[in-house]
Amino acid sequence: MLAGMALKRRWAAKGLKGKPNLVMGINVQVCWEKFCNYWEVEPRFVPMEGDRYVISPAEAVARCDENTIGVVGILGSTFDGSYEPIAEIAAALDTLQEKTGLDIPVHVDGASGAMVAPFLDPGLEWDFRLPRVASINTSGHKYGLVYPGGGGVWRDREALPEEELVFRVNYLGGEMPTFALNFSRPGAQVAAQYYTFFTGWAGKATGLSSRHRGTSRWIWPPRSRTSARSSC
């Protein structure tokens, strides 16, 4: 939801008067539907067809216009764990900008895959290596390693309108920046995430996740999926 708020504020800064919309696959997690409902953004869903359980870049771009605040790509589809083609989506949006001037950012919902792809698929470009990716959310809670709520990261201050969204609070003797839907919240999930990184998460991800992937592909062979890579 915080990433969606940042996307909407970036769009609003352009001074456009239409209703904002967000393009995403019908396979998104329900939090995106909640965001669109709560913040009055029109959801534009890309349907799944046949054996394709991920977003189609061409169909996503076809739903974009001047009021599109962004396109959401999932790294680990909720349907089958497949990676959505983030690089292809970004390339399609690059082409759209060349033709129309529309500059539409991408948010990557890291879901399960962002904690796996850097280790099992290091050559896969889905992150800030792609200039069009503005923000990413992920955490290790899908693997039972941390509590939910790890948050997200933004490319730069342009992607996160700091003056409009980040509050600076004088609290307990010091100034603290805060960007959240509520102010006072636990930090256990952040501490736990740091702990997993500092205690050899790369090795655990490479070993454990590769075994999980092997098991899942034995149960459901990759030939039945539309994506060559999967977080499962």
Side-chain angles (χ1 to χ4, degrees), residues 174-195:
E175 186 179 84
M176 180 179 70
T178 174
F179 178 38
L181 299 180
N182 57 345
F183 173 63
S184 183
R185 60 177 295 176
Q189 65 271 27
V190 178
Q193 191 70 79
Y194 271 115
Y195 177 80

Side-chain angles (χ1 to χ4, degrees), residues 12 35 50-51 62 77 103 117 120 129 145 173 182:
F35 164 75
D51 292 332
S77 168
D103 184 8
L120 295 190
R129 286 172 289 181
L145 299 174
N182 57 345

Side-chain angles (χ1 to χ4, degrees), residues 144-158:
L145 299 174
V146 299
Y147 305 111
V153 292
W154 283 262
R155 170 179 291 278
D156 49 32
R157 292 187 177 184
E158 181 182 354

Side-chain angles (χ1 to χ4, degrees), residues 4 8 37 51 70 104 126 160 168 170 191 206 229:
K8 188 177 179 182
N37 187 316
D51 292 332
I104 299 173
W126 59 271
L160 175 61
R168 299 192 178 279
N170 192 320
T206 302
R229 302 177 189 271

